Amino acid sequence: MLYIIGLGLGDERDITLKGLDAVKKCEKVYIEAYTSLLSFGLSTDGLSTLEKLYGKPIILADREMVEEKVDNILLEARGSDVAFLVVGDPFGATTHTDLVVRAKTMMVDVKVVHNASVMNAIGICGLQLYRYGETVSIPFFTETWRPDSFYEKIERNRNLGLHTLCLLDIRVKEPTLESLCRGRKQYEPPRFMTINTAIDQLLEVEQKHGKSAYDEDTNCVGFARLGSEDQMIVAGTMRQLCTVNFGEPLHCLVIVGKTHPVEDEMLEFYKITTENPEQKGNEMLEFYKITTENPEQKGNGIA
């Protein structure tokens, strides 16, 4: 059996009990390490933290292994239980859908254990999930490659009054162009797109197309380290968010569409202030903390 197990967004404790049971009975455990990364996975002791919890070694599955050598993993799963761990939810990336298709083709049984992903965790800012349009990815621009296919999708969402989730580029173990030309792979250092870079690129593309899909005064919500203890959420215009230091990765951005009054009320808690934009972005978390003095009141503070 091949178990594809979602790990959630924060740290090693976010795995479900069902997922943990599956991991513990598997002979081999792989963790996918390029479409996303756990916050603790960015540190040197990330894997050892997981290995302590699971009581077994974990094999890092980079892009090259998953896309070029996945048949080896599937062959192992034909004769034993193998776990493939995915940050967030297993079907948050198309690569994992392809993995299931290939497994089925090779007559390998597959069991999926779901978990939270960025696709639903963004609901914390108060924008209603069913008022989102198509999600887009913003890739890093280079001097010779500046793709902008996301622009039309954002424009379409905005015309319909829908919010747009922008997933920001992650480049881990990417071969350099020079090494590919020489036939011997050398890899770029890891890079994680910031909200500030994403906004700069979005505004550059708007200037190029000039269709007024959005501008510097368009309202957005920036998220950093979503799902972890030190997550940061700030609402403001593109111009305002460019002044905020969101800190460590991972980042994502929502371009706000037409809002309902309830959405506006929630966004107020995250709106940027000139005094301390970072502090304002985290104030909303206090509303979810229960106090010993009056837990009922604190838990219902928003109501």
Side-chain angles (χ1 to χ4, degrees):
M1 177 78 73
L2 175 67
Y3 290 88
I4 305 179
I5 301 166
L7 295 180
L9 296 171
D11 58 28
E12 72 279 4
R13 296 167 296 174
D14 282 354
I15 191 171
T16 64
L17 291 175
K18 185 184 288 186
L20 187 57
D21 287 343
V23 168
K24 287 187 173 181
K25 72 179 183 181
C26 287
E27 291 184 24
K28 275 198 175 180
V29 181
Y30 294 88
I31 183 168
E32 180 259 22
Y34 66 90
T35 61
S36 188
L37 290 169
L38 287 175
S39 56
F40 65 88
L42 295 171
S43 64
T44 53
D45 63 348
L47 275 187
S48 64
T49 305
L50 284 175
E51 289 173 338
K52 261 183 215 174
L53 177 64
Y54 302 156
K56 57 185 63 184
I58 298 172
I59 302 164
L60 199 63
D62 57 26
R63 181 186 295 275
E64 188 175 314
M65 177 181 286
V66 175
E67 295 186 349
E68 298 176 18
K69 303 174 184 177
V70 70
D71 286 354
N72 295 336
I73 298 174
L74 297 177
L75 285 172
E76 292 170 349
R78 291 178 78 170
S80 62
D81 289 331
V82 174
F84 187 79
L85 310 181
V86 177
V87 178
D89 185 81
F91 293 115
T94 53
T95 301
H96 309 132
T97 304
D98 179 64
L99 180 61
V100 173
V101 171
R102 293 173 76 167
K104 297 288 188 183
T105 303
M106 294 177 63
M107 306 300 289
V108 175
D109 291 329
V110 178
K111 185 170 282 188
V112 176
V113 182
H114 294 284
N115 209 319
S117 82
V118 65
M119 306 296 285
N120 63 298
I122 53 171
I124 190 174
C125 74
L127 296 176
Q128 297 164 12
L129 294 178
Y130 57 84
R131 294 172 65 87
Y132 278 78
E134 186 173 354
T135 298
V136 302
S137 295
I138 312 294
F140 276 114
F141 285 176
T142 69
E143 290 184 7
T144 57
W145 189 67
R146 307 178 94 74
D148 57 8
S149 58
F150 54 80
Y151 182 82
E152 289 184 4
K153 297 173 184 177
I154 296 172
E155 181 188 24
R156 186 160 57 245
N157 288 345
R158 298 273 294 164
N159 288 339
L160 293 170
L162 302 175
H163 315 309
T164 306
L165 170 61
C166 302
L167 300 176
L168 310 188
D169 204 0
I170 299 168
R171 298 186 66 81
V172 178
K173 204 174 179 184
E174 294 283 344
T176 64
L177 181 59
E178 184 180 352
S179 71
L180 288 174
C181 293
R182 292 179 176 178
R184 188 167 57 185
K185 286 186 180 177
Q186 289 182 324
Y187 300 99
E188 299 175 359
R191 297 174 66 201
F192 308 94
M193 184 179 287
T194 64
I195 289 164
N196 315 72
T197 297
I199 290 174
D200 286 344
Q201 292 189 181
L202 283 163
L203 292 174
E204 177 186 320
V205 172
E206 171 56 51
Q207 190 173 25
K208 171 186 172 184
H209 288 270
K211 296 183 180 179
S212 301
Y214 51 81
D215 57 32
E216 287 184 328
D217 295 317
T218 297
N219 285 321
C220 296
V221 184
F223 301 83
R225 301 169 300 284
L226 187 59
S228 33
E229 292 293 329
D230 66 340
Q231 70 180 5
M232 183 173 177
I233 305 165
V234 182
T237 64
M238 286 190 176
R239 181 188 287 109
Q240 289 173 321
L241 294 190
C242 274
T243 68
V244 177
N245 178 8
F246 283 90
E248 293 295 310
L250 300 171
H251 295 183
C252 65
L253 178 72
V254 169
I255 300 174
V256 179
K258 186 177 180 181
T259 53
H260 184 277
V262 174
E263 293 178 303
D264 290 331
E265 191 174 0
M266 280 283 281
L267 283 177
E268 280 298 320
F269 292 109
Y270 296 110
K271 278 203 174 166
I272 200 168
T273 61
T274 53
E275 296 82 6
N276 192 341
E278 284 82 2
Q279 179 183 346
K280 187 66 176 178
N282 295 310
E283 279 182 359
M284 189 61 176
L285 297 180
E286 295 300 320
F287 281 79
Y288 296 111
K289 290 181 181 175
I290 295 177
T291 62
T292 52
E293 293 83 3
N294 192 343
E296 289 82 6
Q297 179 182 350
K298 191 70 172 181
N300 296 316
I302 302 169

